[in-house]
Amino acid sequence: MVEVSDAFEGGNVEVVTISEAGLVDLRIRSDHQSDHLQWFYFRLSGARGRALTIRLINAGEASYVDGWDGYRACSSHDRQRWSRVATRYEDGALILELTASHDLIWLAYFAPYSLERHHDQLARYQASPRVELMRVGSTLDGQDIDLVHVRLANPSPDHPARKRCWVIARQHPGETKAEWFVDGLLGRLLDESDPLARALLGRAEFWVVPNMNPDGSRRGHLRTNATGANLNREWRTPTLERSPEVFHVRAKMIEVGLDFVLDVHGDEGLPWVFIAGPDGVATLGADVRGLQARFEAALVRHSPDFQTVQGYPETEPGQADMRMATNWLADRFGKLSLTLEMPFKDNADLPDPEHGWSPERSAKLGAALLGALLEVVDEL
């Protein structure tokens, strides 16, 4: 008998029917106090050797229906390696077809990044003499908002005014690839044998928030926190009652200062890696726009997964949504403020038929970004 469960952190699915013939009908739950839905994560048991057809019957109600075009779901039997399964979108349903290789199979919109792994990584980071861990506040569900501060343990006096570089990830909790990206970035920064990391830390220090939205992560949300707030629309006027995550991190940025910030995301529809800048911010100077172009050109050199042809259309000057992190921070600090987008599907320019876009590629992009940053850090 095939059974379906989502009774674990990040789980999201409702069982409609399961037939003896192997047809499984499910529904995706919307985020709490929100209409957003797209993230799913569930476990099949009793499935070994069974040919299954799994239908997410309300996929047509998803926040980004175009995200299903060319999409393939993620599957794992060990929750370590995730591969893609045959998937199609048809008549408002997302249909997954597979023959289970093991008794237990996990299926997800993208490879999950658990809060348990988050805490394990913090424990590893603090073993480095380069790291100072901070708790900047708590969420509405009482979870910690963690900040990782990275700098050389014994800095040289040659560069006394080090640039203050910020990286924030998972404002949208279902975009788990963002925290995998942080793994790669911090892994390289903390590698004492890596000369690039040492050179960069001679010129900069880093303030990294690996998970901006732990409540949404635990609850199995796509885009929102415990109150149904989209954190990336809260930066102009965050409140402790609605968006304490943004309230606390923004306050720390103002206290510390900022010379560069990267907000890491995933895009449901576009199958490319790209950067969205604060195009519509009226106060943005030509010098910052030019620096963004040089940084993007450097990232093209450091990662074949990154490109500058495909992405979002530019916003007209003065038309920026100032509720968004990239725009508000660019206006507040007058510095290079960027959003990095990775695909839920695959990179259409460099496809991987088995894994699509993956945790491993996300992490490698995080590591590669440091090389691009080193090229422009003195201009920040």
Side-chain angles (χ1 to χ4, degrees), residues 208-253:
V208 181
V209 183
N211 188 338
M212 284 283 297
N213 198 336
D215 287 356
S217 303
R218 186 184 297 278
R219 289 167 174 258
H221 287 186
L222 173 73
R223 286 180 76 81
T224 66
N225 71 355
T227 66
N230 176 350
L231 296 186
N232 204 27
R233 300 297 185 274
E234 295 286 315
W235 283 77
R236 184 165 55 192
T237 54
T239 66
L240 290 173
E241 295 75 23
R242 177 174 169 83
S243 48
E245 302 91 345
V246 175
F247 183 94
H248 290 301
V249 171
R250 195 182 84 148
K252 192 68 177 178
M253 288 174 165

Side-chain angles (χ1 to χ4, degrees), residues 3 6 31 52 72 80 105 110-111 118 126-127 143 156 160 182 188 211 222 224 228 250 254 309 324 334 339 378:
E3 295 181 291
D6 74 340
D31 294 3
L52 302 174
R72 292 176 296 149
Q80 302 300 314
I105 298 290
F110 191 79
H118 170 91
Q126 72 175 354
Q143 297 193 85
S156 164
V182 166
R188 188 172 193 184
N211 188 338
L222 173 73
T224 66
R250 195 182 84 148
I254 293 171
V309 176
M324 298 174 66
T339 298
D378 291 332

Side-chain angles (χ1 to χ4, degrees), residues 350-373:
L350 200 61
D352 179 340
E354 182 178 359
H355 301 103
W357 190 258
S358 65
E360 293 79 12
R361 290 175 82 175
S362 303
K364 289 185 183 300
L365 182 64
L369 180 125
L370 297 177
L373 192 55

Side-chain angles (χ1 to χ4, degrees), residues 46-63:
R48 184 192 290 265
R50 297 288 303 274
L52 302 174
T53 299
I54 301 165
R55 300 189 303 187
L56 296 166
I57 63 174
N58 64 335
E61 302 169 18
S63 300

